[in-house]
Amino acid sequence: MTKQERGTRTRDALIRSAAGEFDLHGYALATLSAISVGAGVSPGALHFHFENKAAIAEAVEGAACTTLRRTARIAYRHRSNALQNLADTTHALARLFREDIVVRAGFRLSCANDSRTELNLRQEWQSCVQQRLAEAADEGLLAAGVGRQQDLARTIVAATVGLVTLCQDTGEWLSPQTITGLWRTLLPTLTAPEALAELEPAGTAAVITRSLDPVG
């Protein structure tokens, strides 16, 4: 293993350890000593990579952002229609939140009132939802009189981000069954009757799997 590879591995271990500490204790109570112990490195090695706690929190947010954006981008690449893609993307992102501690911690850090970066992943998700709803309208998928797209987007974002918050207590809030139930409730309200039968609230398994395939 080269020196660069060892450095990358150490940095990744520190980010994952920090994410675990932030997820468990919150930013304020997480300590650099606990982060270095969790990563299995010395305090000196931590400070070689990160100047302070704010710097490592920023790295956690950045790593979460990269993973979430990549997953949404791949899901969009394999879309069939806008509403199905929105359901598929939600399922893929929910699985990330259940299984990836860096994604979970980074998202919460970016949405905090005292966020140390310009990132706001909740706002990015709202923009994504708004874009898919605009595409659904262009595709003739939305029900007549369904209401303003902005109000629909806010409802979907409130429901999904609420599930992320509840997931802190138990992962069942982001289980496939819960996400399927969410879309089973929303789709009949959103969708034109002639298009509803073509939509799968449980998501498109192949699209979800491709979205979560590791890079390389």
Side-chain angles (χ1 to χ4, degrees):
M1 186 185 300
T2 67
K3 183 177 181 180
Q4 183 178 3
E5 288 171 336
R6 287 196 300 273
T8 299
R9 180 171 293 185
T10 298
R11 188 177 189 277
D12 290 345
L14 285 165
I15 289 173
R16 182 159 293 277
S17 176
E21 291 297 313
F22 295 146
D23 189 61
L24 184 62
H25 302 294
Y27 176 81
L29 296 180
T31 65
L32 292 178
S33 59
I35 291 169
S36 61
V37 168
V41 303
S42 69
L46 184 153
H47 285 288
F48 175 81
H49 290 278
F50 301 103
E51 181 180 1
N52 50 36
K53 187 164 67 170
I56 197 168
E58 183 176 346
V60 172
E61 290 182 47
C65 177
T66 297
T67 301
L68 289 167
R69 287 176 178 172
R70 173 186 174 274
T71 298
R73 185 171 61 249
I74 295 174
Y76 188 70
R77 192 182 305 156
H78 296 287
R79 69 191 181 281
S80 55
N81 64 64
L83 287 182
Q84 186 63 62
N85 178 252
L86 190 51
D88 292 345
T89 302
T90 308
H91 276 281
L93 296 181
R95 181 170 163 187
L96 281 178
F97 279 108
R98 292 196 311 271
E99 299 179 359
D100 192 324
I101 189 70
V102 175
V103 166
R104 197 160 61 244
F107 182 86
R108 288 173 180 150
L109 286 169
S110 82
C111 297
N113 292 333
D114 59 348
S115 177
R116 288 142 297 278
T117 72
E118 295 299 316
L119 274 177
N120 188 324
L121 295 175
R122 181 174 55 210
Q123 183 60 52
E124 287 197 23
W125 172 235
Q126 183 167 342
S127 297
C128 176
V129 173
Q130 288 173 334
Q131 179 185 342
R132 298 300 183 274
L133 290 174
E135 292 171 358
D138 291 341
E139 294 169 10
L141 297 174
L142 296 184
V146 73
R148 296 193 310 158
Q149 290 177 28
Q150 185 178 27
D151 292 337
L152 296 176
R154 286 174 175 169
T155 298
I156 294 169
V157 171
T160 49
V161 173
L163 292 176
V164 172
T165 301
L166 290 167
C167 182
Q168 193 162 6
D169 296 325
T170 170
E172 285 301 309
W173 286 106
L174 285 174
S175 68
Q177 293 79 11
T178 300
I179 303 302
T180 298
L182 174 69
W183 285 110
R184 190 178 290 126
T185 301
L186 290 176
L187 286 174
T189 303
L190 298 173
T191 313
E194 61 273 17
L196 184 59
E198 302 300 319
L199 300 178
E200 178 49 70
T204 309
V207 174
I208 297 168
T209 300
R210 287 172 186 161
S211 301
L212 296 165
D213 281 343
V215 177

